Amino acid sequence: MAFIDDLTFHIKAGNGGDGVVRWLHERGRELAGPSGGNGGNGGDVYILAIRDLGILERYRNIKDMVSGRGGDGMKNSMYGKNGDDLVIELPIGSIVTDSRTKRKYNLVNDGEKILILKGGRGGVGNEHFKSSTNISPTQFTPGKIGEDADFHIELELVADAGLVGLPNAGKSSLLNALTNAEAKVGSYQFTTLEPNLGALKGGFILADIPGLIEGASEGKGLGHKFLRHIKRTKRILHLISLENTAIIDTYKTIRNELKQYGQGLDEKEETIVLTKTDMVDKKALDSAIKKLQKFNKDILTVTVLDDAIIKNFSDEIVKRLRK
Ligand SMILES: Nc1nc2c(ncn2[C@@H]2O[C@H](COP(=O)(O)OP(=O)(O)OP(=O)(O)O)[C@@H](O)[C@H]2O)c(=O)[nH]1
Ligand SMILES: [Mg+2]
């Protein structure tokens, strides 16, 4: 979760197009009157939140960005075209800071779009200056300069779902199987020392935190320090290894730690995930499900050794996160 990426850009909104000096041409009359059109407005610059963690990669080598310039005015009172807006797509969780004013823009929700720079207004053509006292104006104004600024963009990820469970429950293995993460996996407790993140299909972020043990909420093990990272997640995936013989005790231990920690952790939506199904027979699996149903009916089962099961499991999680 401490995953923060940052970039700096100079961004400029397009200048307005210039107004122009043009004249009407009527049969038999030279310079029948002013007809110079106004310039179009320069394009604005927006930032747009999307669900794609990897998108900052796209900007890695870019230092400057600019939106479209407004077109110049034209003859016959025609306006110049407005410049194209620039919409900069950034991952949800991006914080964009204007380096000079220190103003911050937070992209919190999917699809959120915020204006950060205004394009310059188009200038006016000579027709604009026409009046009873000035029937052949030669004035025009140039387009205004668009706003520009340096921006610092940093990413603070907000995970959609957090994997919790005892050490060895298979959290990191499942994260790796479901996402592009390459978390360390080991057959001993506390393999994971820091949170790992991965992106599911649809861009949903999964966070894997170190295993919790009894007393974690009071600081035992590593869990405490990292429980705060699941504070902002919508859903908890509560992993229980089927290797475990005391399934209910295990479930209650973790639930109790979430409750003790407070901050609403135990009120989050929970999916129970029984892991390592390859290690038990159907009877043991059914019995575990039956026991747990008293606490929560949303139970999934998984093994990381079977690609088809993983694919199916991934779809089930995405379905719940879409809700
Ligand atoms: N047979 C089998 N073994 C698994 C499965 N998933 C994980 N394991 C094994 O279980 C052990 C623990 O896996 P991890 O993914 O490191 O467990 P963890 O919950 O992240 O553990 P901590 O980081 O210590 O909290 C490793 O030896 C894995 O290879 C599974 O579906 N089937
Ligand atoms: Mg782990």
Side-chain angles (χ1 to χ4, degrees):
M1 260 323 246
F3 180 100
I4 293 179
D5 208 335
D6 68 327
L7 292 169
T8 304
F9 300 124
H10 177 254
I11 310 177
K12 180 172 177 344
N15 297 339
D18 297 337
V20 294
V21 178
R22 298 285 185 276
W23 305 101
L24 286 171
H25 295 277
E26 281 171 16
R27 203 180 284 271
R29 262 182 89 195
E30 274 297 298
L31 307 188
S35 78
N38 299 344
N41 297 328
D44 298 326
V45 180
Y46 295 88
I47 46 175
L48 172 67
I50 63 164
R51 284 191 176 279
D52 180 356
L53 257 190
I55 195 157
L56 286 184
E57 212 55 49
R58 192 201 277 180
Y59 307 117
R60 192 64 65 198
N61 298 312
I62 297 180
K63 288 277 156 263
D64 294 275
M65 293 197 229
V66 61
S67 60
R69 180 184 184 277
D72 294 335
M74 291 171 286
K75 65 181 180 184
N76 299 329
S77 315
M78 286 194 298
Y79 281 41
K81 246 181 76 200
N82 289 334
D84 289 334
D85 291 340
L86 171 66
V87 180
I88 303 171
E89 296 183 331
L90 297 172
I92 297 171
S94 294
I95 302 165
V96 178
T97 311
D98 181 320
S99 304
R100 191 176 53 83
T101 65
K102 303 295 174 214
R103 177 158 183 195
K104 278 187 195 302
Y105 304 89
N106 271 305
L107 290 175
V108 180
N109 300 308
D110 195 8
E112 192 170 356
K113 191 174 172 187
I114 306 174
L115 175 73
I116 56 167
L117 295 172
K118 279 293 288 169
R121 291 193 63 83
V124 291
N126 65 335
E127 185 179 17
H128 175 85
F129 294 96
K130 184 169 113 179
S131 68
S132 55
T133 55
N134 188 3
I135 55 170
S136 298
T138 54
Q139 297 102 308
F140 71 97
T141 62
K144 292 265 194 312
I145 305 290
E147 295 175 339
D148 76 310
D150 289 316
F151 288 97
H152 182 225
I153 296 167
E154 63 194 321
L155 183 57
E156 272 187 12
L157 285 167
V158 185
D160 295 291
L163 299 168
V164 301
L166 291 184
N168 250 337
K171 299 177 295 296
S172 303
S173 304
L174 188 60
L175 179 79
N176 290 347
L178 293 171
T179 74
N180 50 354
E182 290 172 8
K184 192 169 159 200
V185 165
S187 57
Y188 46 91
Q189 303 205 333
F190 300 116
T191 307
T192 302
L193 303 174
E194 285 195 346
N196 299 299
L197 290 168
L200 279 172
K201 250 190 322 198
F204 293 108
I205 309 298
L206 278 189
D208 161 37
I209 62 169
L212 300 176
I213 54 171
E214 191 164 354
S217 57
E218 291 150 21
K220 290 221 179 97
L222 296 167
H224 182 67
K225 190 168 152 213
F226 298 106
L227 273 174
R228 70 187 161 85
H229 287 294
I230 54 171
K231 245 173 18 198
R232 291 166 84 184
T233 64
K234 278 187 231 129
R235 178 172 289 270
I236 280 174
L237 304 184
H238 183 159
L239 271 61
I240 303 172
S241 166
L242 286 159
E243 290 168 301
N244 233 299
T245 42
I247 297 266
I248 298 300
D249 286 347
T250 303
Y251 178 76
K252 284 186 176 164
T253 298
I254 299 293
R255 290 303 306 175
N256 190 43
E257 292 311 318
L258 295 177
K259 180 155 187 227
Q260 293 304 322
Y261 186 83
Q263 313 223 26
L265 287 197
D266 66 326
E267 283 152 32
K268 291 184 186 294
E269 298 203 68
E270 175 198 57
T271 300
I272 297 176
V273 180
L274 290 168
T275 62
K276 314 192 192 181
T277 54
D278 58 282
M279 296 185 74
V280 295
D281 58 17
K282 182 152 188 331
K283 202 168 138 234
L285 181 62
D286 288 345
S287 141
I289 292 175
K290 208 162 154 211
K291 284 186 217 154
L292 286 165
Q293 269 171 345
K294 273 190 245 136
F295 301 94
N296 179 356
K297 295 227 163 359
D298 186 17
I299 303 175
L300 295 174
T301 61
V302 76
T303 164
V304 298
L305 303 184
D306 184 318
D307 289 346
I309 289 176
I310 285 295
K311 158 113 197 14
N312 201 23
F313 182 84
S314 174
D315 291 344
E316 286 293 326
I317 299 299
V318 169
K319 199 159 77 186
R320 283 166 177 72
L321 295 176
R322 281 236 160 88
K323 268 201 297 202

